[in-house]
Amino acid sequence: MKVSFQIKLFISLVAFFSVLFTLLGGYYYVDVGRQLYQEMSTRAKIQAEEIALIPTLRNEVEQKDIKSIHDFMQKIAIHSDASFIVIGDNKGQHLFHSVFADRVGTTLVGGDNEEVLLGKSTTTIRKGGLGISLRSKAPIFNDAGQVVGIVSVGYLTSYLDTITVNKVVNILIAAVLLLIALFIFSWFFTRSIKKQIFSLEPREIGLLVRQQKAMMESIYEGVIAIDDNLRIEVINQAARKLLGLSQPARELRGQLISQVIEPVPFFAPQTMLAKDTHDEICRFNDLTVIASRVRIMLENSLQGWVITFRDRNEIDTLSAQLSQVKRYVDNLRIMRHEQLNRMTTLSGLLHMGRYEEAIGYIQAQSEHAQELLDFISSRFSSPTLCGLLLGKTARAREKGVELNFDPACRMDTVFQPLHEAELISIIGNLLDNAIEATQRSELPHAPVEVLIKLNEQELIVEVADQGVGIKPEIRDRIFERGITTKTRGDHGIGLYLIESYVTQAGGSIEVADNMPRGAIFSLFIPATGAARRSVQELEDTDYAT
Amino acid sequence: MQHELIDVLIVEDERALAQLHAELISKHPRLRLVGIASSLADAQVQLESKQPQLMLLDNYLPDGKGITLISNPMLTCANCSVIFITAASDMDTCSQAIRNGAFDYILKPVSWKRLSQSLERFVQFAEQQRVWKIVDQQNVDSLYQLQAKNYRQDNGSKGIEENTLALVQTLFNQKSAHYFSVDEVVTETGLSKTTTRRYLEHCVEAGFLSVEMLYGKIGHPRRMYRRAEV
């Protein structure tokens, strides 16, 4: 089971402080003990040295007056907090013992008397008659300066430890109280954090941040987040691309939105405060966009806005595509309907035993197309030309324009003066022009008449449409490069190409108006190549270059 | 002379239709059915193993389009001809098939008469090819084209009708020295411009009229017709 962030934080806080307190306590315990020992040893030393300086005692020790020593020392021992006070002579024999009177006459225990007998004070921790003790020994000098005895003042370690433990227990109580306070604090602290981060785990927050970043970069729309001072906080790649900003996102961060996007009413503070907007058409840096603006509120206070926008042209394209798709769907529906009708007719004919009619009916379905196919493939020997003509016919039909091939069409040998690619280009361009002109005229569209005929003398190509015709103002210049009436596609190159190919092959082009409208392009290219070329003044023009 | 049988492979996923095709082929004395493939992959396998000389190829197959098979070099190697069958609404593919040199193209719904004609034509074509191979290997290529065309249904129509032709000819006979432009003929006869052009060019071809180019305006030559001097 996973432990939630709150519990984890709580446990780690408590654990950390517990360890901290334990360490502190341990240190304090050791330190207190050490200090106590130091203090006590000083105390024992001073007491021992002071006792050793008492003149009466010095005399009494020198004379080994045990009774007097006892009476005198007893008084001192009562006022001292020492565990024991012992007086010994210069032989190491007990002269006085504050706890055990019967020790008098026995040897001092501990074996640390040599240095004292030499005249030095010592402080040691030794096991004596009462147990382990801290004791200080001072020599007693007579007036002549000789060591006559030893004063030993001692504190039992058990007594010292009791003092230490008492002190530590107090600290422990304080520490426990502190820990409880910490418990409560940690609990509320973690709870408040949890509330602020919407009960999310840190890992989840990290994931969210990354997700947000990825999301921002992956979306097609431009997204800009600004704070309440209208400074950019986040800007995604699509936004930079749409606005044509070359600098990286981190450079844009912090800039005023008005520095990046030309001031538009969309960013006027009053309107921004008033309400959110959706799909508003406006202009950002010369780009028409459809933009939305949403306020970010946190606990009823405004934090900023998020602005999303899309290129309107793209949307237009999309809707155009959509309507295209809709049209296809409609077409399919119509086709399905027609198909059903045909099936009904057919099944009716079969039911009534009118088999001949049924066969005729079926054949009629493909007859027209098959006839065209057979017509074209029988009249033209070049597979490429056949392909082109069939393809154009099919395309034209999709656009609602019919191509009618003249029954005189025939081209069953290779035409030498022109490369096949040139011929294809000429016929393709002529047909495209005628189809487009027809398309742009009002309904119903009249068919485009096509004549392609190769006889012994020449190749005749004539394409006649009843489309919009040629505008009088460009009539004289239609073969110049760049002159066009087309609204889209490769402008003004088709007729220029046709002209240059035909002229190079020594042919001529006749352009005439069709009845009642439209244009007729007639091409005559001699089969003998440039035979007629010499009589043509066209040779002087620079089309061929 | 003993005739060789021509091996035919049918590629068609519609079982009933494939059966009908099979029937048509098995009825023909010179054709032999070697297999029916119902998918593109199947067709490739059978093409390799059975080496047919003719394939009836449907365009829409469950694993792809038949048209992709036509451009397959395997076909050229196997010397296999294709009769391509596709829906009438699919003219684009048909033009592609023509460019890739299919032997014939038949539109669905299939006219059985048309299919039979096509098969008959192929039988003759194959026979000719075999004969030519013996006679003159050199000429096979040039004759190939010609042969393929010879059997196409062609009533030789040029769209020339006697009465209209007479109308045009009368006009030129009346003013034999006069040069006519197409527009003038249109005005005189009341025919459409495209029809007029067809008749005029027919007359030129027949030697009845002669042609001269008139360069009135720059870049806009006009073709003038006159009664040819006999």
Side-chain angles (χ1 to χ4, degrees), chain A residues 375 378-379 407 410, chain B residues 152-159:
Chain A
F375 177 83
S378 65
R379 297 307 178 94
R410 177 170 293 278
Chain B
R152 292 212 194 274
Q153 60 163 37
D154 182 7
N155 53 14
S157 159
K158 287 176 181 168

Side-chain angles (χ1 to χ4, degrees), chain A residues 40 68 91 99 134 168 201 210 244 248 259 282 370 397 495 501 503:
Chain A
M40 284 319 203
S68 307
K91 303 283 190 310
V99 181
L134 169 77
V168 167
E201 297 292 308
R210 261 184 226 147
Q259 287 177 306
C282 42
Q370 183 76 57
R397 189 170 302 157
L495 282 177
Y501 288 150
T503 315

Side-chain angles (χ1 to χ4, degrees), chain A residues 77-136:
Chain A
I78 288 166
H79 292 290
S80 171
D81 64 341
S83 301
F84 60 88
I85 299 173
V86 172
I87 309 287
D89 62 9
N90 54 358
K91 303 283 190 310
Q93 302 281 316
H94 272 100
L95 293 175
F96 169 76
H97 197 293
S98 64
V99 181
F100 303 112
D102 57 339
R103 289 278 174 88
V104 175
T106 60
T107 320
L108 288 170
V109 192
D112 50 351
N113 297 326
E114 288 80 13
E115 280 189 64
V116 185
L117 291 175
L118 289 171
K120 269 174 86 177
S121 296
T122 61
T123 305
T124 55
I125 294 172
R126 286 290 159 86
K127 192 176 160 67
L130 288 166
I132 300 168
S133 60
L134 169 77
R135 57 225 189 147
S136 204

Side-chain angles (χ1 to χ4, degrees), chain B:
Chain B
M1 193 166 90
Q2 182 65 44
H3 290 307
E4 285 175 23
L5 286 177
I6 297 165
D7 289 339
V8 183
L9 174 69
I10 294 173
V11 185
E12 167 68 64
D13 63 323
E14 183 65 43
R15 191 178 290 270
L17 198 51
Q19 279 304 327
L20 284 170
H21 286 168
E23 223 171 288
L24 191 71
I25 284 164
S26 50
K27 271 183 192 161
H28 199 285
R30 301 281 310 281
L31 299 173
R32 178 171 63 196
L33 182 71
V34 291
I36 297 174
S38 57
S39 72
L40 212 55
D42 195 9
Q44 281 180 359
V45 172
Q46 296 211 30
L47 205 58
E48 207 150 352
S49 62
K50 290 170 180 163
Q51 302 275 323
Q53 285 138 278
L54 179 66
M55 175 162 67
L56 294 189
L57 178 63
D58 184 42
N59 193 27
Y60 287 97
L61 295 166
D63 56 345
K65 287 197 170 184
I67 185 80
T68 56
L69 211 58
I70 294 192
S71 49
N72 197 324
M74 207 165 76
L75 270 186
T76 333
C77 288
N79 198 17
C80 176
S81 296
V82 175
I83 293 179
F84 188 66
I85 303 174
T86 188
S89 56
D90 196 23
M91 285 293 265
D92 249 2
T93 318
C94 229
S95 70
Q96 209 179 329
I98 289 180
R99 271 182 251 186
N100 283 308
F103 179 80
D104 205 354
Y105 341 94
I106 293 179
L107 297 180
K108 281 185 175 181
V110 174
S111 150
W112 296 104
K113 207 173 110 199
R114 178 70 177 75
L115 182 58
S116 309
Q117 276 176 2
S118 187
L119 288 172
E120 191 55 45
R121 199 155 62 76
F122 183 78
V123 168
Q124 297 191 31
F125 163 76
E127 179 59 27
Q128 285 286 355
Q129 211 180 18
R130 208 167 60 85
V131 173
W132 287 333
K133 254 179 201 165
I134 303 159
V135 175
D136 187 1
Q137 182 64 44
Q138 294 283 310
N139 286 337
V140 169
D141 284 341
S142 56
L143 289 173
Y144 185 97
Q145 279 288 329
L146 214 66
Q147 175 64 14
K149 301 298 164 193
N150 273 350
Y151 288 89
R152 292 212 194 274
Q153 60 163 37
D154 182 7
N155 53 14
S157 159
K158 287 176 181 168
I160 299 298
E161 202 236 323
E162 284 305 323
N163 290 342
T164 316
L165 185 63
L167 187 69
V168 174
Q169 286 180 337
T170 314
L171 183 70
F172 281 92
N173 280 332
Q174 280 167 359
K175 297 180 180 177
S176 59
H178 184 74
Y179 279 103
F180 285 91
S181 73
V182 175
D183 288 329
E184 282 173 288
V185 181
V186 166
T187 327
E188 294 286 335
T189 57
L191 296 169
S192 85
K193 276 194 182 183
T194 46
T195 311
T196 307
R197 176 78 73 194
R198 180 165 72 230
Y199 280 93
L200 290 176
E201 289 305 328
H202 177 75
C203 291
V204 172
E205 223 173 311
F208 177 74
L209 294 178
S210 70
V211 164
E212 212 134 315
M213 300 303 286
L214 178 77
Y215 297 94
K217 282 179 279 176
I218 294 168
H220 288 287
R222 291 170 78 201
R223 197 172 162 92
M224 306 302 281
Y225 299 87
R226 198 176 70 137
R227 178 79 172 90
E229 282 158 36
V230 194

Side-chain angles (χ1 to χ4, degrees), chain A residues 32-325:
Chain A
V32 162
R34 203 172 47 80
Q35 270 188 21
L36 197 67
Y37 269 82
Q38 214 164 31
E39 197 186 304
M40 284 319 203
S41 57
T42 317
R43 244 155 100 172
K45 193 177 167 217
I46 289 168
Q47 278 186 56
E49 282 175 350
E50 276 176 356
I51 289 170
L53 289 174
I54 298 169
T56 44
L57 188 68
R58 285 166 61 194
N59 287 332
E60 282 162 1
V61 170
E62 196 171 15
Q63 287 151 25
K64 297 191 182 168
D65 184 353
I66 294 170
K67 173 90 174 65
S68 307
I69 295 169
H70 185 261
D71 292 342
F72 182 72
M73 283 310 295
Q74 206 67 344
K75 280 181 242 162
I76 291 175
I78 288 166
H79 292 290
S80 171
D81 64 341
S83 301
F84 60 88
I85 299 173
V86 172
I87 309 287
D89 62 9
N90 54 358
K91 303 283 190 310
Q93 302 281 316
H94 272 100
L95 293 175
F96 169 76
H97 197 293
S98 64
V99 181
F100 303 112
D102 57 339
R103 289 278 174 88
V104 175
T106 60
T107 320
L108 288 170
V109 192
D112 50 351
N113 297 326
E114 288 80 13
E115 280 189 64
V116 185
L117 291 175
L118 289 171
K120 269 174 86 177
S121 296
T122 61
T123 305
T124 55
I125 294 172
R126 286 290 159 86
K127 192 176 160 67
L130 288 166
I132 300 168
S133 60
L134 169 77
R135 57 225 189 147
S136 204
K137 291 189 173 180
I140 303 170
F141 297 98
N142 61 8
D143 293 339
Q146 291 168 313
V147 176
V148 291
I150 299 164
V151 181
S152 173
V153 179
Y155 293 88
L156 285 171
T157 48
S158 55
Y159 165 70
L160 294 176
D161 288 346
T162 314
I163 297 171
T164 317
V165 166
N166 277 343
K167 284 192 174 182
V168 167
V169 164
N170 286 340
I171 292 167
L172 224 69
I173 291 168
V176 167
L177 285 174
L178 264 174
L179 265 181
I180 291 168
L182 184 75
F183 245 71
I184 295 163
F185 164 76
S186 301
W187 184 254
F188 283 104
F189 177 66
T190 50
R191 245 200 18 193
S192 102
I193 286 187
K194 190 179 160 174
K195 222 169 113 185
Q196 280 187 37
I197 59 173
F198 308 105
S199 299
L200 289 169
E201 297 292 308
R203 208 183 57 83
E204 291 175 325
I205 296 173
L207 196 67
L208 270 181
V209 170
R210 261 184 226 147
Q211 272 176 354
Q212 191 218 21
K213 218 175 142 89
M215 227 185 296
M216 293 283 279
E217 294 311 318
S218 68
I219 47 179
Y220 203 52
E221 292 200 353
V223 179
I224 301 178
I226 52 177
D227 63 14
D228 50 350
N229 294 319
L230 301 182
R231 289 187 184 278
I232 294 174
E233 281 190 337
V234 178
I235 180 165
N236 76 344
Q237 207 184 335
R240 284 186 289 133
K241 214 161 142 193
L242 283 171
L243 296 172
L245 302 169
S246 52
Q247 57 265 61
R250 60 173 183 282
E251 266 178 45
L252 289 167
R253 192 173 300 156
Q255 283 193 30
L256 280 172
I257 187 81
S258 55
Q259 287 177 306
V260 176
I261 300 174
E262 288 284 283
V264 278
F266 193 73
F267 296 113
Q270 299 88 343
T271 59
M272 286 184 88
L273 285 171
K275 60 177 175 48
D276 296 343
T277 61
H278 287 289
D279 296 339
E280 196 176 298
I281 295 176
C282 42
R283 258 185 112 64
F284 288 1
N285 294 0
D286 303 325
L287 181 78
T288 310
V289 294
I290 293 181
S292 301
R293 189 186 57 221
V294 179
R295 287 172 291 187
I296 311 169
M297 306 295 279
L298 191 64
E299 280 149 12
N300 290 329
S301 72
L302 184 70
Q303 304 291 314
W305 292 267
V306 172
I307 295 143
T308 57
F309 56 96
R310 292 155 286 176
D311 188 348
R312 200 183 64 167
N313 289 336
E314 278 173 12
I315 293 172
D316 289 349
T317 316
L318 276 180
S319 50
Q321 279 173 353
L322 187 66
S323 60
Q324 189 94 356
V325 170

Side-chain angles (χ1 to χ4, degrees), chain A residues 417-448:
Chain A
L418 279 178
H419 286 297
E420 191 168 56
E422 291 172 345
L423 183 69
I424 294 299
S425 167
I426 289 170
I427 295 175
N429 274 311
L430 281 177
L431 290 178
D432 282 345
N433 286 349
I435 291 165
E436 203 192 312
T438 306
Q439 241 191 319
R440 280 161 55 201
S441 71
E442 60 239 46
L443 288 162
H445 295 326
V448 173

